[in-house]
Amino acid sequence: MIERLALIGTGLIGGSLALALKAAGAVGEVVGCGRNPATLERARELGIIDRYATDPAQAVAGADVVFLAVPIAAMREVFRALRPGLAGEVLITDGGSAKGCVVEDARAELGPWFAHFVPGHPIAGTEQSGPDAAFATLFAGRRVILTPLPENSAEDVARAEALWLATGAQLETMSVAHHDHVLAATSHLPHVLAFTLVDSLARMEERQEIFRYAAGGFRDFTRIASSDPTMWRDICLGNRTELLALIGRFQQDLSALAASIEAGEGEALSALFARAKRVRDTLYSL
Ligand code: NAP
C-alpha cells in the first residue's frame, strides 16, 4: 500500500497508473505535478489526483513513492527540481520509453537519492496523450520492464514490482542497455518508419490522390504516426545510438530490396516476403 504517491506528469501514462492503483485500493493520496494548472485541475476532476502542486519539490514532500511520467527530455530538470523535497525511505521510479538517458539524468541530479531510483517502462500506450486519455486498465495484462540498477536495494526493487503488479501488469526485468537495444528495434524504429512514410507521401504533389486511395493496410501500417511528436522527438534523441545503428541496418536492407526489384530478382523477393510472413504469422498467431 502506497500512502502518498507523487505523480510528476498526469497524462496518459501517469494518469493511467494513478487510476489503476486507486482502482486496486493500492494508494492512499495522489499528489499531481505538472507545468500547467489547467491540466492538473482536469486531472483532479477526472479523479486521477487528489491535489496538486506545480513545484516538484512541494509535490514530492511526504510522498513514499514518486513516479515520473513526463517527456524524456524533461526528466533531468524534474529530477533537479524535486530533489529538495525528497525525504525518508522514498522510492523514485519512472515510465520513460528509453532508459539509458533517464538513468544518466537521475545519476546527475539525484545525489544520494539515486540509489532509490528504480527505472521502469510500461510496454503499453495509445496514440492519445493528456489526462483525458488515461484509463485504469491500460496496463492490465501488459508487460512492464524494470531495469534495476546495481545501486538499488532489493527492497526498493520489490516496491517498484509491487506497484506495477497492483495494476495487473506482467513484470520483466532486464539491464538498461538491453532494454534500449530491444526497444529500439521493436518500438523506436517502427515509429520512425511510420512517421517518415506518412511525411514522405504527404510532401508529394499528388498527395490528395494518394491518400484518397489509402486503404486498411496503410491505416494499419501508419497508426503509430499519430503518436505524440514531442514524446517521439525525445525518444529518438534519448536512444540515438541504438536507433542510429538500426536505421543504418534497415537502410542497407531497403537498398538491397530496391536492388532486387531493379534487377527483376523475383526469387529473392519471394524468399524475403515468405520469411517475413512466416515470422509475422508466428508472432501473432500465439
Ligand atoms: P502525456 O500524456 O503528454 O503526459 C505528459 C505529462 O508530463 C503532462 O501531464 C505534462 O503536463 C507533463 N509535463 C511535460 N513536461 C513537463 C515538465 N517539464 N515538467 C513537469 N511536467 C511536465 O505523455 P505520456 O504519454 O503520459 O508519456 C509520459 C512518459 O511515458 C514519457 O516519458 C514517455 O516516453 C513514456 N511512455 C509513453 C507511452 C505512450 O504510449 N504514450 C508508453 C510508454 C511510456 P504539463 O504540460 O502541464 O506540464
Side-chain angles (χ1 to χ4, degrees):
M1 174 74 183
I2 300 165
E3 279 177 32
R4 184 183 294 167
L5 171 70
L7 191 65
I8 320 294
T10 58
L12 171 71
I13 297 298
S16 297
L17 177 71
L19 290 173
L21 293 174
K22 284 188 170 197
V27 68
E29 185 184 37
V30 181
V31 182
C33 181
R35 297 162 304 178
N36 184 349
T39 311
L40 292 165
E41 190 50 49
R42 181 67 185 143
R44 205 182 56 76
E45 276 167 23
L46 291 165
I48 292 171
I49 58 177
D50 302 301
R51 61 185 175 88
Y52 59 82
T54 49
D55 172 12
Q58 267 179 29
V60 304
D64 44 346
V65 177
V66 175
F67 184 77
L68 278 73
V70 298
I72 284 174
M75 293 275 186
R76 193 169 187 131
E77 139 199 359
V78 169
F79 282 128
R80 188 183 310 142
L82 63 77
R83 181 175 163 181
L86 296 171
E89 294 302 307
V90 65
L91 167 72
I92 308 157
T93 183
D94 79 311
S97 305
K99 299 277 41 108
C101 55
V102 177
V103 170
E104 233 173 76
D105 291 343
R107 193 189 297 280
E109 299 297 339
L110 286 180
W113 302 104
F114 177 65
H116 293 285
F117 175 57
V118 181
H121 176 204
I123 311 300
T126 71
E127 294 71 65
Q128 312 302 316
S129 47
D132 283 282
F135 56 101
T137 54
L138 176 61
F139 307 115
R142 307 297 297 274
R143 286 202 170 87
V144 170
I145 300 174
L146 289 181
T147 60
L149 307 171
E151 291 83 351
N152 295 148
S153 67
E155 194 196 336
D156 278 342
V157 175
R159 289 168 74 195
E161 287 172 353
L163 172 145
W164 283 112
L165 288 174
T167 69
Q170 297 172 3
L171 278 177
E172 312 247 342
T173 297
M174 62 180 69
S175 71
V176 168
H178 190 61
H179 169 280
D180 285 359
H181 180 67
V182 171
L183 269 291
T186 55
S187 173
H188 308 169
L189 179 65
H191 276 82
V192 164
L193 298 182
F195 281 125
T196 310
L197 175 67
V198 175
D199 182 59
S200 177
L201 298 184
R203 286 187 291 104
M204 291 169 74
E205 261 175 34
E206 61 276 42
R207 60 185 173 278
Q208 306 251 337
E209 183 73 352
I210 290 172
F211 289 129
R212 178 147 19 117
Y213 292 106
F218 186 79
R219 190 189 171 108
D220 288 348
F221 187 86
T222 60
R223 176 180 59 82
I224 53 180
S226 289
S227 302
D228 184 58
T230 305
M231 178 175 133
W232 282 97
R233 175 201 65 193
D234 292 359
I235 292 170
C236 289
L237 297 178
N239 200 20
R240 76 180 77 186
T241 307
E242 292 291 346
L243 183 56
L244 284 175
L246 278 168
I247 290 174
R249 189 185 164 137
F250 188 79
Q251 280 171 327
Q252 281 175 11
D253 287 345
L254 198 58
S255 298
L257 176 72
S260 291
I261 294 172
E262 194 174 7
E265 294 169 353
E267 274 183 29
L269 296 179
S270 314
L272 187 157
F273 297 155
R275 267 196 322 268
K277 176 173 164 49
R278 258 196 318 274
V279 172
R280 176 80 172 53
D281 289 351
T282 309
L283 277 176
Y284 293 101
S285 65
L286 294 176

